Amino acid sequence: MPLEYPLVLKHLREKAFKPGIEAYLSLEGYQVYRRFLEASAESLKQAMRTAGLRECGTGVLVADIWDRAPQKPILVINAHVSEPGNFKDRTLLRDPHQMIEGALIAAHAVGAEQIYFYVRSDWTAEIKLLEAAIEDARAYCFVGKLEGGGGCEACVYVGGGAAICGETFGVEAAIVGCRPVPSMMGHPSVVIHSVETVCQVKHVLSVAHETLTRVFAVGGGVQRPGCYEFPCGSLTLGELIYDVAGGLVPGRKLRGVFPCGVFSKCVAAEALFALGPRQVSLYDLPMDFDTWPQLGLSMGRGSVIVIDDAVNVRSIIVNLMRFFATEICGFCVPCREGSRWLHQMLERIQRGEGRPSDVELMLSLTDQMRGRVACPFGEFMADSVHSLVTLFREDLKTT
Amino acid sequence: MSDILIFFDCESYSVPQDITILEAAERIGKAIPHICSHPKLSVSGNCRSCLVEVALPDKDNVLQWQPTPVLACSTKVQNGMHVRTQSEMVRASRESVMEFLFAQRPLDCTVCDKAGDCSLQNIAFDYGRSCSRFHETKIKKPKQIIVGPRLILDAERCILCSLCVRFCKEVLKKDLIAFSERGSATQLVCAPQSDMESNYWLNMVDICPAGALVDSKATLKPRPWLLKKTPSISTESSVGVNIDVWSREGTLYAITPRRNDFVNDTWMPDSAREAFVDKRERCSECRIRGAVVTLEEAVRYSAQQIKESGGFGIVGSSFLSLEEQFLLKKLLDSTPSKLFWLKHEDRGDGFLVSDDRTPNLNGAFLSGLLSQPPDDLNAIKAAFAQNTFKTWLVFYEDIATWVDKKALDGKTLIYCNTHSNKSAKEATVLLPALTVFEQAGCFVNRDYRLQKFLKAVERKGVPSISDAIKGLLSHFNITVDLWPTIQAAIPALQNTSFDEIPLTGIQLKKSDKSV
């Protein structure tokens, strides 16, 4: 069984951990920030490149993001990711100083003088915690403009709460006070990082570079759901589900997995994948950045959702479709009209009024949406719903 | 900038750099359906109906077709680019967009005021499905929401293309209407705290592609295909807004803006849209002291009066067309007369309504009638009071309302106007005139752009001002060959006949002045 390697989750793993600044300072908090305050942006970038740290979700190298950063950008820490079943960011927000320290280093590297912690409006407890943490950090002069120039301001920016506000373009629009819709009119001068990435920034600089870790949020039909941290690529999906998360409840059977979160395809338990010359079962796929895109799945944000045979799959699909239909921005026609249509159809099927042609029509509609929507969110929805309907075709048929 | 080579459906075309595929297609006459794009507004890309297949050659000159279609309205052309506008994938994309658009939408073209002039309807004819796969209950949204002084919104018909929102933001620089809510509940609303003050609301009716925004005063008009469209020029101000006049069987029904990138882009003020509505009585017959006469009799009598009185005063007008002004100049030069001119000014809005509320003041400069901005109100009053002239020839200006009744007595007033007013009733000789919609001619706008207007409706039996002035000139043994005279005076018009003047006009210079 692979051993957990908690870096980002280290403090949260300790039962006695308090999120206050004194506790954090006693655990060598802000040491990395102090050490690298004098370092040049170039050396920080080099350190990221050597470590190979990637932005969680997109998989882009952090060093590349920093290279492409505009002049004097605003650093936005996107704590608004509202993917159902992904509780990783919310967990990490309970150790706010770790995130603030990482963000300060990242701001230093890109030359940002302002950090926005862009948090979902429903996470009120986390917002309070973060606001208090920023004030504490200000009292210790980590946050705020320094007298002799330099320094970085930070504040909490409460987002709208819809999933679309956490997508890249949604963040860009929200930061300049616009509706979260894709814009062709250029982008504001921002650098966007996810919560996990800025936490990792701190740890990359503080520990030996070989151990780059990833946090996975495992949920659904497993015995020990939760956040787990492992060195990148050190374990397979099977190990994650069965060894780390305790496997399924005895007597239940695995039906499908969302290996990359619900914003990607659902995969059948018995699916085989061609990985180079080999045929690999789902369980043997390594949880790293490069394998999944080869299989036509995005790496996602590190959430794994397990579906066993005890749940009503039809309800899962209807619930997920309800989420998609209500959380989109409504900008482009295929996504707006398609999601509403699919949602109405699934609600009807749920009521037991299904028609024989429904499944084929749903597959046809998701096909019509693919490649014709304005943003990745619509593509995710089409992929996700298409895979679910294909996989659980029989469950959707009304008897 | 040099042109580049681009291939549309395997045919090569040369197009300028830095334009989008959609603009390139329009230039070469290829039809790419589009709903949410407008040449004068920013790109939005939300309707997804202009998707085309695009390929670029790689370094071995092998075409690499992109796996998904791209937006023609936002993708810039590149040298060697191949575009498929009619392929199976493109057709499927358009059909799917149409299916999504019409799934929830009411199919009420038959009762919609936009039908016949509706881009959505046109595209639906080409790419719509003949039967629906939608078996759910259609979403109900509010209808007949009043969003502006004359604007009614049907939220069910609205396809959220954001054209009207972008128009307000980008052209008016004012958020009159905006979107509220999100996702499929998105709805067009009046922006809160908006003062609703605007003279440009109805442009949103023109650009609305789906008949969701309707002009409350323009409903239940004849269908567009029953109407004739004639290019014309608005007489509201010296901007010279280009318009289309919609008419049927001699009746005018509507005025809409006509695109002219040099003048008004594609917009027009609301205040100019009802220029054809005039409740006053028309002057349609020549009269001498109230008795109906023929034009010959009226002109003969007028010429006789002019000759008898020695000199006479002329009150010209910036509402006269360029042709009429040239004729007037001839009359001024060949008779013992003095010209007076009035200004009509009011505060403009800095956009499409200027301070000068006449269409053709610069025409008077070009024809040599004026050499400096006119302001002869007091001079006219004084001339009447001091009996300088016994005979007056007045165009349009309602002088009877501000010249003393006593001063008018005993004078021979030859008055020319389209509609009846106090001066027309006081006139010794009344000569009728045709409105701008009933004749053709030219105006010169504030930027010295010569623009022509065409005859939209025929008004039989009513002589034009040109006829009247020509008649007067003939009594002084002068015949005018009008167009050669204008060409001689304005060098830019050499070798150009009236028919050859483009509908977007000809840019003249201030120095193009009649000697």
Side-chain angles (χ1 to χ4, degrees), chain B residues 332-368:
Chain B
L332 187 72
D333 289 348
S334 45
T335 51
S337 53
K338 186 173 186 315
L339 182 72
F340 297 87
W341 208 279
L342 288 174
K343 65 172 180 183
H344 290 264
E345 287 195 344
D346 201 349
R347 236 178 69 201
D349 62 3
F351 184 35
L352 292 179
V353 181
S354 61
D355 291 348
D356 176 12
R357 296 304 177 87
T358 61
N360 201 24
L361 179 60
N362 281 340
F365 288 112
L366 282 180
S367 57

Side-chain angles (χ1 to χ4, degrees), chain B residues 9-29:
Chain B
D9 302 323
C10 298
E11 286 170 51
S12 70
Y13 297 93
S14 177
V15 296
Q17 285 183 17
D18 235 33
I19 59 171
T20 62
I21 298 176
L22 186 63
E23 284 165 335
E26 260 165 22
R27 266 164 207 255
I28 61 169

Side-chain angles (χ1 to χ4, degrees), chain A residues 91-150:
Chain A
T91 312
L92 290 176
L93 278 176
R94 289 175 192 149
D95 184 7
H97 284 290
Q98 170 180 254
M99 177 174 72
I100 295 171
E101 186 178 0
L104 286 169
I105 297 169
H108 178 60
V110 294
E113 289 177 357
Q114 174 74 52
I115 304 172
Y116 285 138
F117 292 101
Y118 179 64
V119 194
R120 231 187 115 116
S121 57
D122 341 25
W123 297 350
T124 44
E126 283 75 11
I127 291 171
K128 268 190 200 143
L129 200 62
L130 186 56
E131 276 172 344
I134 291 173
E135 283 318 304
D136 288 346
R138 196 190 302 282
Y140 279 84
C141 291
F142 297 124
V143 167
K145 290 267 186 288
L146 301 177
E147 270 179 30

Side-chain angles (χ1 to χ4, degrees), chain A residues 62-370:
Chain A
V62 170
D64 286 346
I65 297 178
W66 290 359
D67 273 339
R68 287 198 297 263
Q71 285 288 312
K72 292 224 172 202
I74 291 170
L75 179 65
V76 182
I77 309 303
N78 182 7
H80 201 300
V81 174
S82 314
E83 186 184 343
N86 191 344
F87 39 88
K88 191 174 72 183
D89 286 358
R90 196 170 186 180
T91 312
L92 290 176
L93 278 176
R94 289 175 192 149
D95 184 7
H97 284 290
Q98 170 180 254
M99 177 174 72
I100 295 171
E101 186 178 0
L104 286 169
I105 297 169
H108 178 60
V110 294
E113 289 177 357
Q114 174 74 52
I115 304 172
Y116 285 138
F117 292 101
Y118 179 64
V119 194
R120 231 187 115 116
S121 57
D122 341 25
W123 297 350
T124 44
E126 283 75 11
I127 291 171
K128 268 190 200 143
L129 200 62
L130 186 56
E131 276 172 344
I134 291 173
E135 283 318 304
D136 288 346
R138 196 190 302 282
Y140 279 84
C141 291
F142 297 124
V143 167
K145 290 267 186 288
L146 301 177
E147 270 179 30
C152 187
E153 265 305 330
C155 66
V156 175
Y157 190 107
V158 179
I164 203 72
C165 304
E167 291 300 304
T168 307
F169 69 83
V171 177
E172 282 173 351
I175 288 300
V176 293
C178 296
R179 291 170 63 78
V181 294
S183 166
M184 306 267 176
M185 303 298 287
H187 307 279
S189 164
V190 293
V191 172
I192 303 170
H193 279 310
S194 64
V195 176
E196 189 193 336
T197 311
V198 282
C199 295
Q200 298 277 17
V201 164
K202 182 206 152 180
H203 292 285
V204 161
L205 295 171
S206 68
V207 297
H209 299 153
E210 295 88 72
T211 47
L212 196 61
T213 61
R214 268 207 90 178
V215 181
F216 296 103
V218 189
V222 285
Q223 297 201 53
R224 286 197 301 274
C227 287
Y228 300 97
E229 188 173 7
F230 286 91
C232 207
S234 71
L235 85 167
T236 61
L237 183 62
E239 287 170 329
L240 185 64
I241 296 172
Y242 285 99
D243 300 336
V244 179
L248 274 63
V249 176
R252 292 195 189 163
K253 226 177 105 230
L254 185 70
R255 294 204 64 191
V257 186
F258 280 106
C260 313
V262 292
F263 285 3
S264 188
K265 284 174 194 162
C266 181
V267 183
E270 58 278 3
L272 287 174
F273 297 92
L275 204 62
R278 292 185 300 144
Q279 285 279 321
V280 180
S281 80
L282 182 65
Y283 308 112
D284 295 331
L285 286 172
M287 297 300 283
D288 60 10
F289 276 106
D290 296 318
T291 311
W292 297 92
Q294 292 174 33
L295 308 172
L297 292 141
S298 68
M299 188 54 245
R301 286 161 172 135
S303 75
V304 176
I305 294 174
V306 177
I307 302 172
D308 63 21
D309 61 352
V311 293
N312 183 344
V313 177
R314 198 193 289 172
S315 303
I316 292 185
I317 304 176
V318 173
N319 200 25
L320 189 62
M321 197 59 232
R322 185 185 303 128
F323 165 81
F324 279 128
T326 51
E327 299 283 297
I328 53 159
C329 63
F331 171 78
C332 72
V333 171
C335 178
R336 179 181 71 224
E337 302 296 334
S339 66
R340 184 160 66 181
W341 188 345
L342 286 168
H343 179 217
Q344 281 177 305
M345 276 177 84
L346 283 162
E347 291 277 7
R348 177 164 54 75
I349 294 170
Q350 180 80 326
R351 288 197 304 268
E353 295 164 23
R355 301 161 65 103
S357 59
D358 279 344
V359 170
E360 293 312 318
L361 180 54
M362 277 193 278
L363 294 178
S364 161
L365 291 182
T366 46
D367 274 337
Q368 288 192 9
M369 288 159 72
R370 281 175 171 173

Side-chain angles (χ1 to χ4, degrees), chain A residues 162 164 179 184-185 325-334 336-338 340-341 344-345 348 355 361 364-365 368-369 371-374, chain B residues 42-48 51 68 71 74 92-93 96 99-101 103-104 133-137 139 159-160 179 181-184 186:
Chain A
I164 203 72
R179 291 170 63 78
M184 306 267 176
M185 303 298 287
T326 51
E327 299 283 297
I328 53 159
C329 63
F331 171 78
C332 72
V333 171
R336 179 181 71 224
E337 302 296 334
R340 184 160 66 181
W341 188 345
Q344 281 177 305
M345 276 177 84
R348 177 164 54 75
R355 301 161 65 103
L361 180 54
S364 161
L365 291 182
Q368 288 192 9
M369 288 159 72
R372 290 157 198 173
V373 289
Chain B
S42 67
V43 175
S44 171
N46 62 51
C47 75
R48 320 303 287 181
L51 290 167
T68 53
L71 286 180
S74 67
S93 315
S96 67
E99 179 173 26
F100 283 133
L101 268 181
Q104 305 269 2
R133 298 195 286 176
F134 185 79
H135 300 293
E136 324 308 319
T137 319
I139 297 252
I159 57 166
L160 309 173
F179 285 135
E181 307 303 318
R182 182 175 38 75
S184 48
T186 313

